[in-house]
């Protein structure tokens, strides 16, 4: 066969900052697998989930009329670290969040977000406006109660009502808005940038060890490391460490990635160097998939050079290859209309099944016969699958 094809693949997946996401990913994967089967007219079945420590793994067998692929998936989880962060007190969270945003403003990082991608800047400051809304509602409640109270108790009653209102609202609306999760995310991210999280450092080193072991075993046709959202920078960090020990071929996919969230901070020089080291390695085939519709990512912004990407769709001149995923091309029109105002759902489409064949397809990337090094550089990506891309013979 003139070009490489995949019969067996090992996928190591690092998810973003989402409490319980790793545990839920397998169930969601099974549901999405049915959509993938329908879209591409393939047969695909999954094994039971195996759990070992913080590692979750399963296998998928996918077959078509002229190819067959076995995919061994392993989720590199850091759910326990996220859960520990969420267990902290609300007062401490708000205090630390104030310090985080003061740092982001003083360091000029927020202004860099704005220049890089205004939509991501809006996402990054949204928790501040949510907190402001809670304070305003609480003050209004306080004034209302004070106005209805006897004059001698108006001030005390109003202050008490405002305080209680804030406690209730930050719990009720805060949970609906995922405010606490967003604040914890920013707290941990800044700690990571400053090297203050020994538990996270240790976990990333574990991830690096698992990547090194997979490469060293040399038992598959493609090793694919996937990083989604904030997990992309953790995956890049782990991969840079793994590359110190191994020199085999590795595919790397960053999806809905927020690498610049960390690397745009002036104190993140060490992290910028690690990301650049991954890009320089000729044995790493890195694709960055970006979507305009995803507000929780850096669309048209280069994760290594930290400069605007001017190409409309395809950039194959250097690592990473940057591809644009058009969510409207991936979903039925009715589905897209339902989710177009749901930022998190849009953010997760890049790790979900397509309803229509398109240039990019997460499930075809992890379960199909074409390696990242090939499809990422084809103008039509996976749309070429039925015509001129090579098949792995079953």
């Amino acid at each position: 066969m003139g070009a490489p094809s995949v019969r067996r693949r090992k996928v190591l997946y690092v998810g973003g900052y989402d409490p319980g996401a790793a545990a839920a990913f397998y169930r969601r994967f099974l549901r999405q697998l049915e959509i993938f089967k329908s879209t591409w007219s393939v047969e695909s079945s999954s094994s039971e989930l195996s759990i070992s420590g913080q590692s979750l793994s399963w296998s998928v067998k996918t077959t078509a009329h002229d190819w067959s692929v076995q995919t061994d998936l392993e989720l590199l989880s850091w759910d326990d670290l996220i859960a520990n962060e969420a267990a902290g007190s609300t007062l401490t969270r708000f205090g630390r969040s104030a310090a985080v945003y003061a740092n982001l403003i003083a360091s000029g990082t927020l202004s860099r977000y704005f220049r890089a991608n205004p939509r991501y800047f809006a996402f990054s400051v949204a928790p501040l406006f949510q907190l402001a809304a809670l304070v305003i509602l609480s003050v209004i409640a306080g004034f209302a109660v004070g106005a209805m109270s006897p004059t001698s108790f108006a001030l005390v009653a109003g202050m008490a009502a405002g305080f209680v209102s804030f406690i209730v609202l930050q719990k009720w609306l805060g949970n609906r808005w995922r405010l606490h999760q967003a604040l914890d995310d920013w707290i941990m991210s800044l700690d990571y940038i400053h090297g203050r999280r020994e538990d996270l450092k240790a976990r990333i080193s574990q991830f690096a060890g698992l990547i090194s072991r997979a490469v060293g075993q040399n038992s598959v046709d493609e090793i694919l490391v996937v990083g989604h959202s904030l997990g992309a920078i953790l995956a890049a960090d782990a991969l840079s460490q793994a590359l110190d020990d191994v020199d085999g071929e590795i595919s790397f996919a960053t999806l809905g990635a927020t690498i610049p969230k960390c690397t745009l901070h002036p104190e993140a020089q060490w992290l910028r160097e690690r990301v650049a080291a991954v890009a320089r390695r000729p044995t790493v085939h890195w694709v960055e998939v970006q979507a305009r519709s995803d507000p929780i990512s850096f669309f048209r912004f280069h994760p290594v050079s930290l400069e605007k990407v001017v190409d409309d769709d395809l950039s194959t001149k250097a690592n990473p290859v940057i591809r644009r995923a058009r969510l409207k091309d991936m979903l039925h029109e009715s589905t897209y209309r339902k989710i177009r105002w749901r930022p998190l759902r849009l953010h997760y489409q890049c790790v979900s099944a397509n309803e229509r064949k398109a240039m990019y397809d997460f499930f075809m990337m992890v379960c199909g016969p074409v390696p990242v090094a090939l499809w990422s550089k084809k103008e039509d990506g996976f749309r070429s699958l039925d015509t001129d891309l090579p098949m792995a013979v079953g």
Side-chain angles (χ1 to χ4, degrees), residues 212 238-247 274 277 281:
S212 298
L239 185 53
S240 72
Q241 297 178 45
L243 292 173
D244 292 337
D245 301 322
V246 297
D247 197 33
R274 292 189 179 183
R281 187 64 68 100

Side-chain angles (χ1 to χ4, degrees), residues 108-129:
T109 305
L110 279 182
S111 64
R112 294 185 185 96
Y113 291 164
F114 182 79
R115 290 194 295 271
N117 189 293
R119 293 183 70 186
Y120 188 82
F121 168 81
F123 166 75
S124 67
V125 298
L128 296 180
F129 286 92

Side-chain angles (χ1 to χ4, degrees), residues 173-193:
L173 286 178
N175 287 339
R176 289 176 61 88
W177 293 343
R178 295 200 180 197
L179 172 62
H180 301 143
Q181 176 186 335
L183 296 178
D184 289 343
D185 183 343
W186 284 104
I187 291 168
M188 182 176 282
S189 297
L190 192 64
D191 281 348
Y192 173 54
I193 291 168

Side-chain angles (χ1 to χ4, degrees), residues 169-223:
L169 288 172
Q170 65 84 25
K171 186 69 175 177
W172 174 49
L173 286 178
N175 287 339
R176 289 176 61 88
W177 293 343
R178 295 200 180 197
L179 172 62
H180 301 143
Q181 176 186 335
L183 296 178
D184 289 343
D185 183 343
W186 284 104
I187 291 168
M188 182 176 282
S189 297
L190 192 64
D191 281 348
Y192 173 54
I193 291 168
H194 286 280
R196 295 193 290 251
R197 293 300 298 255
E198 295 301 322
D199 55 349
L200 187 54
K201 285 183 184 178
R203 188 59 52 83
I204 293 171
S205 294
Q206 290 177 19
F207 295 169
L210 292 170
I211 295 170
S212 298
R213 186 175 67 183
V215 177
Q217 289 174 345
N218 195 29
S219 59
V220 297
D221 300 311
E222 181 180 45
I223 294 170

